[in-house]
Amino acid sequence: MIQEIHTTDAPGAVGPFSLAIKVGNLLFVSGQLPIDPATGEFNSDDAIAQAEQCLKNLGAIATAAGTTLSNTVKTTVLLTDLGQFAEINKVYAGFFAKPFPARACYEVSALPKGAKVEIEAVIAIP
């Protein structure tokens, strides 16, 4: 059965898609922009701070679905400047521990709303 996940602790979807979908023991979380759910605005213009907000949003969605970021099995990180990869890795490492999730990271020409970072995830639900 497919279950849509909602929470006010993360920003809502900015288009015709679900914030997250739970299927069985997996949670598929849509790409998170660096939107602060309290203000509805980007938390910063800085890519490193944006990455942190994206990961906080992922954590809030995981919590709403009854799991945690520690159960993340796969992430995809989208950056508009791959030159910031090392600094964003430092932020990313602060949210995950070994065994780290599988991950893909891509540089893209643009992201929605002018974001510099977007992160999506697949998270196991115990």
Side-chain angles (χ1 to χ4, degrees):
M1 181 157 96
I2 296 174
Q3 177 185 356
E4 186 174 13
I5 302 298
H6 298 278
T7 181
T8 57
D9 293 330
V14 296
F17 55 89
S18 298
L19 186 62
I21 294 290
K22 177 181 173 184
V23 177
N25 67 340
L26 290 176
L27 180 67
F28 297 86
V29 184
S30 293
Q32 292 302 295
L33 296 174
I35 298 172
D36 181 333
T39 65
E41 302 293 329
F42 284 177
N43 69 321
S44 174
D45 287 330
D46 176 69
I48 288 74
Q50 286 192 5
E52 184 172 3
Q53 185 65 53
C54 293
L55 291 161
K56 286 179 181 178
N57 293 344
L58 286 173
I61 296 163
T63 298
T67 189
T68 67
L69 282 183
S70 66
N71 292 316
T72 303
V73 295
K74 171 77 166 78
T75 63
T76 304
V77 179
L78 305 171
L79 308 172
T80 58
D81 179 5
L82 205 52
Q84 306 226 312
F85 181 79
E87 290 301 314
I88 288 173
N89 260 348
K90 291 177 186 175
V91 170
Y92 184 93
F95 283 81
F96 298 103
K98 288 186 178 184
F100 295 110
R103 182 179 82 180
C105 183
Y106 304 100
E107 180 176 274
V108 297
S109 63
L111 289 167
K113 299 181 154 265
K116 295 178 180 174
V117 181
E118 181 176 359
I119 305 175
E120 68 175 17
V122 178
I123 305 171
I125 301 171

